[in-house]
Short mmCIF file of all heavy atoms in Angstrom, two decimals:
data_model
loop_
_atom_site.label_atom_id
_atom_site.label_comp_id
_atom_site.label_asym_id
_atom_site.label_seq_id
_atom_site.Cartn_x
_atom_site.Cartn_y
_atom_site.Cartn_z
N TRP G 1 3.11 -54.73 -11.68
CA TRP G 1 3.45 -53.43 -11.13
C TRP G 1 3.50 -52.37 -12.24
O TRP G 1 3.74 -52.70 -13.40
CB TRP G 1 4.84 -53.46 -10.47
CG TRP G 1 5.04 -54.53 -9.44
CD1 TRP G 1 5.91 -55.56 -9.53
CD2 TRP G 1 4.43 -54.66 -8.15
NE1 TRP G 1 5.87 -56.32 -8.38
CE2 TRP G 1 4.96 -55.80 -7.51
CE3 TRP G 1 3.46 -53.91 -7.44
CZ2 TRP G 1 4.57 -56.20 -6.24
CZ3 TRP G 1 3.07 -54.33 -6.18
CH2 TRP G 1 3.63 -55.47 -5.59
N ASP G 45 6.42 -53.63 -20.67
CA ASP G 45 5.08 -52.95 -20.64
C ASP G 45 4.99 -51.93 -21.76
O ASP G 45 3.91 -51.71 -22.30
CB ASP G 45 4.88 -52.23 -19.31
CG ASP G 45 4.38 -53.17 -18.23
OD1 ASP G 45 3.79 -54.21 -18.56
OD2 ASP G 45 4.61 -52.87 -17.05
N LYS G 48 4.21 -54.01 -25.12
CA LYS G 48 3.27 -55.18 -25.19
C LYS G 48 2.05 -54.93 -26.05
O LYS G 48 1.38 -55.89 -26.45
CB LYS G 48 2.90 -55.65 -23.77
CG LYS G 48 1.94 -54.72 -23.03
CD LYS G 48 1.62 -55.26 -21.65
CE LYS G 48 0.63 -54.35 -20.96
NZ LYS G 48 0.39 -54.73 -19.58
N LYS G 49 1.71 -53.67 -26.31
CA LYS G 49 0.52 -53.40 -27.15
C LYS G 49 0.87 -53.23 -28.62
O LYS G 49 -0.03 -53.14 -29.48
CB LYS G 49 -0.21 -52.13 -26.64
CG LYS G 49 -0.60 -52.17 -25.14
CD LYS G 49 -2.08 -52.41 -24.90
CE LYS G 49 -2.32 -53.06 -23.55
NZ LYS G 49 -3.08 -52.25 -22.60
N SER G 57 1.81 -60.23 -24.31
CA SER G 57 0.96 -59.55 -23.31
C SER G 57 0.38 -60.51 -22.28
O SER G 57 0.12 -60.10 -21.14
CB SER G 57 -0.12 -58.72 -24.01
OG SER G 57 -0.99 -59.57 -24.68
N HIS G 60 2.54 -61.62 -18.70
CA HIS G 60 2.72 -60.79 -17.49
C HIS G 60 2.00 -61.36 -16.28
O HIS G 60 2.15 -60.82 -15.18
CB HIS G 60 2.22 -59.37 -17.76
CG HIS G 60 3.02 -58.61 -18.79
ND1 HIS G 60 3.89 -57.60 -18.46
CD2 HIS G 60 3.10 -58.75 -20.14
CE1 HIS G 60 4.44 -57.12 -19.55
NE2 HIS G 60 3.99 -57.80 -20.59
N PHE G 61 1.19 -62.39 -16.45
CA PHE G 61 0.38 -62.85 -15.32
C PHE G 61 0.04 -64.35 -15.47
O PHE G 61 0.35 -64.95 -16.49
CB PHE G 61 -0.94 -62.03 -15.23
CG PHE G 61 -1.73 -62.01 -16.50
CD1 PHE G 61 -2.62 -63.03 -16.82
CD2 PHE G 61 -1.57 -60.96 -17.42
CE1 PHE G 61 -3.34 -63.01 -18.00
CE2 PHE G 61 -2.30 -60.94 -18.62
CZ PHE G 61 -3.18 -61.97 -18.90
N ALA G 62 -0.53 -64.91 -14.40
CA ALA G 62 -1.05 -66.28 -14.46
C ALA G 62 -2.33 -66.28 -13.61
O ALA G 62 -2.30 -66.48 -12.41
CB ALA G 62 -0.04 -67.27 -13.89
N ASP G 63 -3.45 -65.99 -14.26
CA ASP G 63 -4.71 -65.94 -13.54
C ASP G 63 -5.05 -67.34 -12.99
O ASP G 63 -4.68 -68.35 -13.59
CB ASP G 63 -5.84 -65.45 -14.43
CG ASP G 63 -5.70 -63.98 -14.80
OD1 ASP G 63 -4.91 -63.29 -14.14
OD2 ASP G 63 -6.38 -63.55 -15.75
N ASP G 122 6.57 -58.80 -11.89
CA ASP G 122 5.12 -59.02 -11.99
C ASP G 122 4.65 -60.24 -11.20
O ASP G 122 3.58 -60.19 -10.59
CB ASP G 122 4.73 -59.21 -13.48
CG ASP G 122 4.47 -57.86 -14.16
OD1 ASP G 122 4.30 -56.84 -13.47
OD2 ASP G 122 4.44 -57.85 -15.42
N LEU G 127 -1.98 -59.73 -7.35
CA LEU G 127 -3.10 -59.83 -8.30
C LEU G 127 -2.67 -60.26 -9.70
O LEU G 127 -3.53 -60.49 -10.55
CB LEU G 127 -3.88 -58.52 -8.33
CG LEU G 127 -4.74 -58.27 -7.09
CD1 LEU G 127 -5.37 -56.89 -7.11
CD2 LEU G 127 -5.86 -59.33 -6.95
N HIS G 128 -1.38 -60.43 -9.94
CA HIS G 128 -0.97 -61.06 -11.21
C HIS G 128 -1.20 -62.57 -11.19
O HIS G 128 -1.03 -63.23 -12.21
CB HIS G 128 0.47 -60.70 -11.57
CG HIS G 128 0.55 -59.34 -12.25
ND1 HIS G 128 1.12 -59.17 -13.49
CD2 HIS G 128 0.07 -58.14 -11.86
CE1 HIS G 128 1.00 -57.89 -13.85
NE2 HIS G 128 0.40 -57.23 -12.86
N GLU G 129 -1.61 -63.11 -10.02
CA GLU G 129 -2.14 -64.47 -9.92
C GLU G 129 -3.57 -64.42 -9.42
O GLU G 129 -4.07 -65.38 -8.84
CB GLU G 129 -1.27 -65.34 -9.00
CG GLU G 129 0.02 -65.80 -9.67
CD GLU G 129 1.03 -64.67 -9.88
OE1 GLU G 129 1.05 -63.72 -9.08
OE2 GLU G 129 1.82 -64.73 -10.85
N PHE G 131 -7.89 -63.81 -9.80
CA PHE G 131 -8.90 -64.68 -10.41
C PHE G 131 -9.11 -64.37 -11.90
O PHE G 131 -9.10 -63.23 -12.31
CB PHE G 131 -10.24 -64.52 -9.66
CG PHE G 131 -10.15 -64.84 -8.20
CD1 PHE G 131 -10.89 -64.12 -7.27
CD2 PHE G 131 -9.34 -65.89 -7.74
CE1 PHE G 131 -10.82 -64.42 -5.91
CE2 PHE G 131 -9.26 -66.19 -6.39
CZ PHE G 131 -10.01 -65.46 -5.47
N ILE G 132 -9.36 -65.44 -12.64
CA ILE G 132 -9.65 -65.33 -14.08
C ILE G 132 -10.89 -64.46 -14.30
O ILE G 132 -10.94 -63.62 -15.19
CB ILE G 132 -9.91 -66.74 -14.70
CG1 ILE G 132 -8.66 -67.58 -14.65
CG2 ILE G 132 -10.43 -66.60 -16.13
CD1 ILE G 132 -8.90 -69.01 -15.12
N LEU G 135 -10.26 -60.85 -14.15
CA LEU G 135 -9.01 -60.45 -14.81
C LEU G 135 -8.00 -59.89 -13.81
O LEU G 135 -7.41 -58.84 -14.00
CB LEU G 135 -9.27 -59.43 -15.93
CG LEU G 135 -10.22 -59.84 -17.05
CD1 LEU G 135 -10.41 -58.71 -18.03
CD2 LEU G 135 -9.69 -61.09 -17.78
N GLY G 136 -7.79 -60.64 -12.75
CA GLY G 136 -6.81 -60.23 -11.74
C GLY G 136 -7.16 -58.89 -11.09
O GLY G 136 -6.28 -58.11 -10.75
N ASN G 138 -8.85 -56.44 -12.47
CA ASN G 138 -9.09 -55.33 -13.42
C ASN G 138 -10.56 -54.97 -13.57
O ASN G 138 -10.89 -53.83 -13.88
CB ASN G 138 -8.51 -55.66 -14.80
CG ASN G 138 -7.01 -55.38 -14.87
OD1 ASN G 138 -6.59 -54.22 -14.87
ND2 ASN G 138 -6.19 -56.44 -14.93
N HIS G 152 -6.91 -53.90 -9.52
CA HIS G 152 -5.57 -54.26 -10.04
C HIS G 152 -4.64 -53.03 -10.03
O HIS G 152 -3.48 -53.15 -9.59
CB HIS G 152 -5.69 -54.83 -11.47
CG HIS G 152 -4.39 -55.42 -11.92
ND1 HIS G 152 -4.08 -56.76 -11.78
CD2 HIS G 152 -3.30 -54.85 -12.48
CE1 HIS G 152 -2.87 -56.98 -12.23
NE2 HIS G 152 -2.36 -55.84 -12.67
N ASP G 156 -0.99 -52.40 -8.56
CA ASP G 156 0.13 -52.07 -9.47
C ASP G 156 0.76 -50.73 -9.09
O ASP G 156 2.00 -50.62 -9.12
CB ASP G 156 -0.38 -51.97 -10.93
CG ASP G 156 -0.24 -53.28 -11.69
OD1 ASP G 156 0.28 -54.27 -11.15
OD2 ASP G 156 -0.70 -53.31 -12.86
N1 DCM K 302 -3.59 -58.42 -16.08
C1 DCM K 302 -3.75 -59.54 -15.25
N2 DCM K 302 -4.62 -60.51 -15.58
C2 DCM K 302 -5.38 -60.40 -16.69
C3 DCM K 302 -5.26 -59.28 -17.54
C4 DCM K 302 -4.34 -58.29 -17.19
O1 DCM K 302 -3.06 -59.62 -14.21
N3 DCM K 302 -6.22 -61.39 -17.03
C5 DCM K 302 -2.64 -57.36 -15.69
C6 DCM K 302 -1.59 -56.97 -16.71
C7 DCM K 302 -1.39 -55.52 -16.44
C8 DCM K 302 -2.72 -55.03 -15.93
O2 DCM K 302 -3.42 -56.19 -15.48
O3 DCM K 302 -0.45 -55.33 -15.37
C9 DCM K 302 -3.51 -54.30 -17.00
O4 DCM K 302 -3.60 -55.13 -18.13
P1 DCM K 302 -3.70 -54.52 -19.59
O5 DCM K 302 -2.60 -53.52 -19.71
O6 DCM K 302 -3.52 -55.72 -20.49
O7 DCM K 302 -5.08 -53.95 -19.64
#
Side-chain angles (χ1 to χ4, degrees):
W1 307 115
D45 277 336
K48 73 180 182 186
K49 305 254 153 117
S57 65
H60 294 253
F61 54 85
D63 291 344
D122 274 343
L127 287 173
H128 277 237
E129 283 71 30
F131 301 144
I132 295 174
L135 302 178
N138 277 291
H152 190 94
D156 267 356

